[in-house]
Amino acid sequence: MTFSFSVLMRLIVLVIVGLMTLPTVEAADRDKLLSEPGIYGTFAAFSLDADWARQDQTMRIAQLATLKGVVEQHREKLVIDTYLLRGLSDRADVLFRIHATELRETQQFLLDLQDSLFGKHLNTAGVMHGLTKKANYVPGMPDNLKAELKTPSEPGLKPYVIVIPIRKDAEWWSLSQEQRAAMMQEHTEASLPYTKTVKRKLYHSTGLDDLDFITYFETSRLEDFQSLILALEKVKEFRHNRRFGHPTLLGTVRSLEEIIEVLAQ
Ligand code: HEM
């Protein structure tokens, strides 16, 4: 009985949110926005307020349809990825990673989200901005390192996401390019054993936020990720981290439909 009720509920959620799809809008070029330099990456984490759980399920489903609607409305300009933090993090329930060529488009999405019926139940847990840039140190690294860095990560699902904001100390920025390059080479050598199981992306935040970098990772092996961090803590470059984490966000990579299903329950 419980089973058939939950299957029915799932179907209802899928049908209702499915109706919100705007078929004619062409989606932003995901490959381009996720690979090119000069793209803004925003990480926006939210907690649901206490009223959310008090509402009945029909009301929650109706409000979740407005979340789907807002995401659809902005998919022409933005690439929006969703993550479930609830259960693994005490800082927030959901995380949005938004890629845009213009930060004001991201702002409009976040305004529309917070204005929606679903958004009325969101409390902002934190927003961070960064910019993708061309590699600064890799071009000067030896060819064998460059080649190894190109090894693609193992195919298959990488269900876990980790986001770690970093701020370097003043000394780091006063070092010469050569000094920093030598330390980044050490960083790279220590990290190479993990390229197969840990996918990464770097955002530069200096001037856009109270941070220097947002580091983003996906993995199916959290134990590898932990070993990677322990390996990096041993290299000199790590001593120049004035802030590492605070917060470290840990969650799972979920489609919007999965997020909606979980929050509808
Ligand atoms: C698979 C694991 C990793 C590999 C292969 C790797 C490799 C690299 C490489 C090659 C660069 C230089 C990019 C450039 O040329 O501009 C870099 C930069 C950086 N990495 Fe990693 N990394 C890994 C994991 C991590 C982790 C776990 C952290 C910290 C949580 C981290 C933090 C950073 C930061 C902050 C920079 C920017 C440094 C700067 O530009 O001053 N990396 N990484």
Side-chain angles (χ1 to χ4, degrees):
M1 184 66 186
T2 319
F3 174 74
S4 54
F5 180 73
S6 77
V7 170
L8 182 69
M9 224 50 226
R10 212 175 145 181
L11 270 173
I12 293 171
V13 172
L14 291 175
V15 168
I16 290 182
V17 297
L19 291 174
M20 297 303 298
T21 307
L22 305 174
T24 49
V25 182
E26 200 179 320
D29 186 339
R30 181 177 179 87
D31 290 345
K32 186 173 164 219
L33 285 181
L34 266 90
S35 62
E36 289 197 346
I39 304 297
Y40 294 92
T42 295
F43 292 78
F46 298 96
S47 305
L48 284 154
D49 66 13
D51 286 345
W52 176 258
R54 287 194 203 113
Q55 300 181 106
D56 68 38
Q57 196 171 35
T58 324
M59 185 59 87
R60 272 185 276 140
I61 292 172
Q63 291 173 359
L64 284 163
T66 69
L67 162 65
K68 170 96 173 173
V70 174
V71 171
E72 289 292 334
Q73 195 190 323
H74 287 271
R75 66 196 277 271
E76 197 185 351
K77 301 249 171 76
L78 306 174
V79 170
I80 302 167
D81 292 305
T82 45
Y83 308 87
L84 187 69
L85 304 186
R86 177 176 261 194
L88 292 182
S89 171
D90 60 358
R91 299 179 191 272
D93 292 313
V94 286
L95 172 70
F96 294 87
R97 179 179 65 157
I98 306 136
H99 286 98
T101 50
E102 288 287 345
L103 203 50
R104 58 176 187 267
E105 304 285 358
T106 302
Q107 183 182 38
Q108 194 54 55
F109 163 68
L110 291 173
L111 289 176
D112 291 346
L113 174 67
Q114 286 169 49
D115 266 355
S116 69
L117 288 174
F118 171 72
K120 300 281 178 228
H121 293 282
L122 292 177
N123 292 322
T124 306
V127 181
M128 301 186 284
H129 305 290
L131 181 63
T132 57
K133 288 175 105 172
K134 281 194 182 137
N136 185 9
Y137 306 103
V138 175
M141 287 184 191
D143 288 346
N144 64 316
L145 274 190
K146 279 191 222 169
E148 282 190 68
L149 276 171
K150 285 197 184 123
T151 319
S153 68
E154 278 170 5
L157 204 67
K158 296 202 170 30
Y160 296 105
V161 64
I162 303 116
V163 181
I164 303 179
I166 291 179
R167 180 151 195 185
K168 294 286 186 185
D169 61 13
E171 200 192 333
W172 174 257
W173 297 110
S174 65
L175 295 171
S176 66
Q177 170 75 11
E178 291 68 34
Q179 287 169 311
R180 278 184 280 119
M183 284 193 243
M184 286 318 292
Q185 185 164 325
E186 214 191 322
H187 168 109
T188 305
E189 284 159 352
S191 310
L192 277 176
Y194 303 95
T195 47
K196 284 207 182 93
T197 54
V198 178
K199 243 174 92 174
R200 68 187 207 283
K201 193 159 172 67
L202 182 67
Y203 302 84
H204 297 251
S205 298
T206 314
L208 301 180
D209 217 320
D210 303 329
L211 309 162
D212 288 319
F213 302 98
I214 304 166
T215 59
Y216 169 93
F217 307 92
E218 285 174 16
T219 188
S220 60
R221 295 176 55 92
L222 285 173
E223 62 272 42
D224 275 13
F225 186 75
Q226 208 219 1
S227 303
L228 164 65
I229 298 294
L230 290 171
L232 283 178
E233 284 186 352
K234 295 193 178 80
V235 306
K236 278 193 220 81
E237 171 258 349
F238 197 87
R239 294 185 213 153
H240 292 286
N241 289 337
R242 197 171 105 191
R243 168 178 165 192
F244 186 87
H246 301 285
T248 292
L249 299 176
L250 173 67
T252 46
V253 180
R254 303 288 185 121
S255 67
L256 182 61
E257 288 68 25
E258 284 175 311
I259 297 272
I260 288 174
E261 249 189 86
V262 171
L263 298 183
Q265 278 162 25

